[in-house]
Amino acid sequence: METETEMLNAYFTNGAEVEISSDEDGFRGAWYEGTVVRPIQKKQRRNIDDEEEEESRNKLRVLVEYKTLMADKKGKRPLKEAMTLVQLRPRPPPERRRKFKVSDEVDAYYNDGWWEGVVMEVSSDGKYSVFFRGTRDQLEFEESQIRIHREWANGEWTPPFEDEEEEKEKLVSTEMKPNNEAAEIFSEGSLVEVSSDEEGFEGAWFVATVVKLLDNGNYLIEYQNLRNNDDTEFLQEETDRLHIRPRPPDLGPFECFKALEEVDALHNDGWWVGVISKALKGQRYNVYFKASNEELEFKHADIRLHLDWTNGKWVRASQELNL
């Protein structure tokens, strides 16, 4: 696991091309192109424990300049901001043009940034209708305005960038899978995790059991920890195949988690995706949640490594898990 200084020297040197995420309202959930101007050492208060004094006095930030966001109304002066490393990632390398299909997770270029969404429809003229969970908008894009959605963690991309032949084989094998693939995976009684697009629940996965497969291809599920409004029984809901996945595998105990490591934290009856912002004493951690711009403290037992369910396999930091 690379330290913040190693990450800075490897990926965020002066002039490096990067993508930037912002926590301001109206910009959250998008990545904007920019360049690194220089690192910043931000002075902190000194009334802290001796062991943490040096680290707290010098919190690492990076001054960046946006390529598409301007600081003035005339649009002549690029906006500059000081960002933490969890808000930065290298510019993804260019990739070949490709066809997308329904349910693909993509980034769509809109309002000067790349926004995460899901392909909902493919029109006969080759355009794609993309649904954005954060805003619940559905907009149409050209193929050139879409790219595969990838996560950056621990110095690697997930899913990884592959050479042309590997990409081609992956595309062919994916297109040959039936549209009701999820229906073949989750049978009645299966233990699953379910996500929601409702405000306040974005970025979380909740444990549930499949009650039955519905005629429309969706699932009726029953949550294990969420109860109905009357608190008389566990909540049941209908969910589609875009919002359901198997329970992540048990990877065994980990001695410790490290700064910038992507994790899930158990909070309010669900597993919320976040990043370790600081390791504390006594196997406790501060976890930063990008979706809500919050930082909360958790004990070791309430954190697990974050895994993504992609093309029927669990992946972490560009590594496919054979499970």
Side-chain angles (χ1 to χ4, degrees), residues 191-225:
L191 196 61
V192 295
E193 289 189 346
V194 180
S195 65
S196 173
D197 294 327
E198 291 188 26
E199 186 175 356
F201 293 91
E202 305 97 327
W205 288 91
F206 297 89
V207 181
T209 302
V210 174
V211 177
K212 65 177 178 180
L213 175 62
L214 304 176
D215 293 338
N216 61 3
N218 291 345
Y219 293 92
L220 178 65
I221 56 95
E222 181 177 279
Y223 292 99
Q224 282 199 347
N225 299 311

Side-chain angles (χ1 to χ4, degrees), residues 1-5 7-8 12 84-88 152-155 257-263 274-279 286:
M1 175 67 64
E2 295 174 299
T3 65
E4 284 196 348
T5 301
M7 293 280 285
L8 178 69
F12 307 118
T84 63
L85 291 191
V86 296
Q87 295 174 287
L88 299 177
W152 168 262
N154 304 326
F257 298 97
K258 297 179 177 62
L260 301 182
E261 197 160 27
E262 196 171 15
V263 296
V275 176
I276 299 288
S277 54
K278 187 177 182 181
N286 284 343

Side-chain angles (χ1 to χ4, degrees), residues 246-290:
R247 288 294 310 279
D250 183 3
L251 299 181
F254 283 79
E255 292 185 4
C256 63
F257 298 97
K258 297 179 177 62
L260 301 182
E261 197 160 27
E262 196 171 15
V263 296
D264 298 334
L266 186 60
H267 180 63
N268 285 348
D269 299 317
W271 290 97
W272 300 75
V273 181
V275 176
I276 299 288
S277 54
K278 187 177 182 181
L280 307 174
K281 295 179 181 179
Q283 284 202 310
R284 302 187 72 88
Y285 306 88
N286 284 343
V287 179
Y288 172 74
F289 301 98
K290 178 183 172 185

Side-chain angles (χ1 to χ4, degrees), residues 17 42 79 124-125 146 149 157 159 194 252 283 289:
E17 293 191 340
K42 186 176 180 181
L79 177 64
S124 57
D125 59 358
I146 299 177
H149 174 71
W157 292 100
V194 180
Q283 284 202 310
F289 301 98

